[in-house]
Amino acid sequence: QQQVKQSPQSLIVQKGGISIINCAYENTAFDYFPWYQQFPGKGPALLIAIRPDVSEKKEGRFTISFNKSAKQFSLHIMDSQPGDSATYFCAARNFGNEKLTFGTGTRLTIIP
Amino acid sequence: EAGVTQSPTHLIKTRGQQATLRCSPISGHTSVYWYQQALGLGLQFLLWYDEGEERNRGNFPPRFSGRQFPNYSSELNVNALELEDSALYLCASTAGLARTGELFFGEGSRLTVL
């Protein structure tokens, strides 16, 4: 059962633009929502994370927006750069069993 | 500080054979996770070990098994290989139960089943 739905599957953004990736969940037992970034040939790396008691978290050009009532969260990449081209995974942790469930990933390409 | 290391990098097997993948966590990390990354399916949770015990298991058949050793390294065994087992197998570690969302991944072992 897919518990974290991620969209879009792929995204092309011009350099300097804003990249937006969305995720939705249904399980109210999720208590921690990280985003991971994966470059080709590498394992995923933690990028930024948020807990449901805040609506937004910003780290540099990366911002997570969290809507608890809608059970949705999104990653915004401001001033997108070619070096941001990677696959991004949202995830959610179940506080009951500590399991981290990942979305299916978004392949982001930043073009000049 | 060394990151999570996995071996082998690539592994080619035929249907019905067994595969063994190995993982060494970051020094000081006691939890090890295994994920399967197949094309188009994201990361599917396989197994979680902490302090030598299996803590949780994903929706995979019993022919996927593993263990964690006293030094916290881990191995994943896949028996009776099937074609659909072809995937990148990722190991991750974290500093125990308080950090279960902050995973540090290795670069993976790519298993090809012919």
Side-chain angles (χ1 to χ4, degrees), chain B:
Chain B
E1 179 184 281
V4 175
T5 57
Q6 293 187 244
S7 64
T9 305
H10 295 89
L11 189 60
I12 300 175
K13 293 285 187 177
T14 56
R15 284 177 57 188
Q17 286 189 311
Q18 180 199 39
T20 297
L21 309 177
R22 296 179 177 83
C23 171
S24 292
I26 290 173
S27 177
H29 285 189
T30 60
S31 283
V32 169
Y33 298 75
W34 287 95
Y35 281 85
Q36 182 194 67
Q37 186 174 23
L39 277 175
L41 292 179
L43 285 79
Q44 303 295 312
F45 170 72
L46 272 164
L47 290 160
W48 170 29
Y49 294 96
D50 181 69
E51 297 282 359
E53 294 187 13
E54 183 180 300
R55 295 285 184 172
N56 208 335
R57 181 182 180 85
N59 295 325
F60 281 83
R63 57 191 186 82
F64 287 84
S65 65
R67 54 179 171 166
Q68 187 178 33
F69 300 100
N71 67 352
Y72 303 116
S73 68
S74 176
E75 69 178 27
L76 174 69
N77 295 293
V78 188
N79 294 319
L81 285 166
E82 299 180 1
L83 296 178
E84 54 263 35
D85 296 335
S86 294
L88 181 68
Y89 289 84
L90 290 161
C91 172
S93 73
T94 189
L97 296 177
R99 297 278 193 231
T100 53
E102 301 169 12
L103 302 184
F104 293 82
F105 283 89
E107 296 191 348
S109 294
R110 183 161 297 281
L111 172 63
T112 301
V113 182
L114 303 176

Side-chain angles (χ1 to χ4, degrees), chain A residues 55-81:
Chain A
S55 60
E56 185 175 283
K57 183 173 182 180
K58 183 177 181 180
E59 290 185 2
R61 296 184 294 108
F62 300 89
T63 300
I64 301 177
S65 296
F66 187 84
N67 186 329
K68 187 174 181 178
S69 60
K71 296 183 188 148
Q72 295 175 346
F73 58 110
S74 60
L75 176 69
H76 296 235
I77 306 175
M78 312 299 287
D79 187 26
S80 298
Q81 299 297 312

Side-chain angles (χ1 to χ4, degrees), chain A residues 37-57:
Chain A
Q37 179 189 55
Q38 184 178 29
F39 293 106
K42 302 291 185 181
L46 179 64
L47 183 64
I48 186 173
I50 196 168
R51 297 187 186 279
D53 53 346
V54 297
S55 60
E56 185 175 283
K57 183 173 182 180

